[in-house]
């Protein structure tokens, strides 16, 4: 059952209350054309399937492997494009923030703030996000268990904000790979927070010698199906019309034209369980 604060977020969307929700979009704001193509197609698919949808794209990418990697079009330019997408397609929007002084700025344009996994212990960042009153999605650190994420949720709630989502995105395995422990989903749900599976970042292969993060997108469907099977409340899937041409995380994004058949399978699994 979708909690009240998410019902408020999805106000105006028609959806099946038993459905998982979807957070999806291109990794970073590259330009209006890509945002529009993704928002139009994904919102149509979700509307037809009864899936509540949040449009995701980062206005800035601070956590890049190489200093030469693309980081953004400029904060205000990118945030205004996100705001335009939200208004045009009547969708809630979400973007990452990386420092406490970004929270209020981003909150003026988007409906949800996302805390990157490697920053999930940053108290000042969590409190600043909480104080905006926006929904806060905290990605579980690659170095933490689901049980340990209770402290991130507590920091936000103690700052006066009950609108917390927790997201699983894999744990470090060796030096250039991640592994998903599905026990983390019920462990994080035990913190009374809707819990999301990040189906794309959990397949990253970070710290490659090339300076470009690798990935294993062929396994996105496997990760997503397993997450729905164990009861995840939502899914996070970065998608792009042409991942090979994406300016960030192209190696682990789902091709946009592969999203609809995957969601159709996931809806069937969800209905079989609930």
């Amino acid at each position: 059952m979708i909690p009240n604060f998410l019902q408020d977020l999805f106000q105006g969307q028609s959806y099946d209350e038993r459905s998982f929700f979807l957070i999806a979009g291109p990794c970073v704001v590259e330009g209006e054309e890509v945002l529009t193509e993704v928002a139009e197609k994904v919102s149509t698919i979700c509307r037809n399937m009864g899936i509540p949808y949040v449009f995701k794209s980062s206005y800035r990418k601070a956590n890049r492997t190489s200093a030469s990697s693309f980081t953004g079009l400029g904060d205000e330019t990118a945030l205004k494009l996100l705001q335009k997408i939200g208004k045009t397609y009547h969708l809630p929007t979400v973007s990452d923030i990386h420092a406490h002084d970004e929270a209020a700025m981003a909150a003026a344009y988007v409906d949800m703030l996302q805390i990157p996994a490697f920053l999930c212990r940053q108290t000042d960042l969590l409190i600043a996000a909480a104080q905006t009153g926006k929904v806060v999605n905290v990605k579980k650190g690659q170095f933490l268990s689901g049980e340990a994420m209770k402290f991130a949720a507590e920091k936000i709630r103690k700052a006066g904000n009950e609108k917390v989502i927790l997201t699983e995105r894999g744990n470090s395995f060796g030096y250039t790979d991640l592994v998903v422990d599905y026990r983390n989903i019920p462990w994080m749900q035990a913190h009374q927070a809707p819990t999301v599976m990040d189906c794309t970042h959990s397949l990253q292969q970070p710290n490659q010698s090339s300076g470009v993060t690798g990935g294993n997108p062929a396994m996105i469907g496997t990760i997503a199906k397993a997450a729905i099977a164990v009861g995840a409340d939502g899914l996070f899937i970065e998608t792009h019309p042409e991942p090979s041409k994406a300016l960030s995380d192209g190696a682990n994004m789902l091709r946009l034209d592969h999203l609809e058949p995957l969601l159709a399978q996931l809806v069937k699994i969800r209905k079989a369980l609930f």
Side-chain angles (χ1 to χ4, degrees):
M1 193 71 169
I2 295 175
N4 289 339
F5 74 84
L6 285 183
Q7 291 181 29
D8 292 341
L9 191 71
F10 298 131
Q11 193 171 25
Q13 295 189 43
S14 178
Y15 57 87
D16 184 339
E17 291 189 358
R18 298 169 299 173
S19 177
F20 58 88
F21 61 92
L22 179 68
I23 301 172
C27 179
V28 66
V29 175
E30 302 177 6
E32 187 169 356
E33 185 177 348
V34 170
L35 295 189
T36 298
E37 182 176 355
V38 173
E40 184 170 338
K41 183 160 188 176
V42 180
S43 62
T44 299
I45 293 168
C46 288
R47 185 168 56 252
N48 291 340
M49 293 188 183
I51 301 170
Y53 173 42
V54 180
F55 181 84
K56 184 270 169 185
S57 195
S58 296
Y59 72 89
R60 188 202 311 165
K61 294 298 292 184
N63 51 328
R64 304 309 309 275
T65 302
S66 170
S68 62
S69 297
F70 177 79
T71 58
L73 300 172
D75 293 353
E76 187 175 12
T77 297
L79 284 166
K80 284 184 175 179
L81 284 174
L82 278 173
Q83 185 180 56
K84 182 177 180 180
I85 289 294
K87 289 180 177 179
T88 300
Y89 295 96
H90 308 289
L91 296 171
T93 56
V94 60
S95 181
D96 295 301
I97 58 172
H98 303 87
H100 70 277
D101 56 357
E102 294 179 33
M105 174 186 69
Y109 296 91
V110 299
D111 305 285
M112 181 191 298
L113 300 177
Q114 184 165 278
I115 309 300
F118 69 102
L119 295 174
C120 69
R121 286 168 50 92
Q122 296 298 107
T123 301
D124 60 344
L125 177 58
L126 293 169
I127 291 173
Q131 290 175 339
T132 66
K134 299 289 184 176
V135 177
V136 183
N137 180 25
V138 188
K139 289 195 172 183
K140 181 183 70 61
Q142 302 93 322
F143 42 84
L144 291 177
S145 70
E147 292 172 310
M149 286 298 288
K150 69 180 179 181
F151 300 110
E154 283 177 358
K155 289 174 183 178
I156 294 167
R157 288 171 175 148
K158 286 182 178 179
N161 189 336
E162 296 290 329
K163 296 180 284 189
V164 185
I165 297 172
L166 299 177
T167 293
E168 162 64 18
R169 53 95 75 227
N171 284 82
S172 296
F173 183 67
Y175 294 95
T176 58
D177 208 354
L178 300 171
V179 65
V180 176
D181 181 348
Y182 284 93
R183 296 176 299 175
N184 285 321
I185 292 175
W187 280 341
M188 289 195 288
Q189 287 172 326
H191 307 322
Q192 306 303 309
T195 299
V196 173
M197 180 72 232
D198 183 338
C199 303
T200 45
H201 289 96
S202 61
L203 291 165
Q204 281 184 333
Q205 295 173 332
N207 305 317
Q208 301 291 316
S209 59
S210 65
V212 178
T213 296
N216 190 6
M219 298 297 290
I220 291 171
T222 300
I223 294 289
K225 291 170 192 174
I228 293 300
V230 299
D233 301 293
L235 297 176
F236 179 106
I237 301 175
E238 286 191 337
T239 183
H240 192 283
E242 296 182 86
S244 63
K245 296 182 180 179
L247 299 182
S248 177
D249 278 1
N252 54 268
M253 277 198 279
L254 183 70
R255 280 188 62 90
L256 183 58
D257 58 5
H258 293 173
L259 182 64
E260 186 170 10
L262 174 58
L263 289 176
Q265 291 179 322
L266 298 173
V267 167
K268 289 180 182 178
I269 295 170
R270 181 78 174 189
K271 286 182 177 178
L273 293 172
F274 298 95

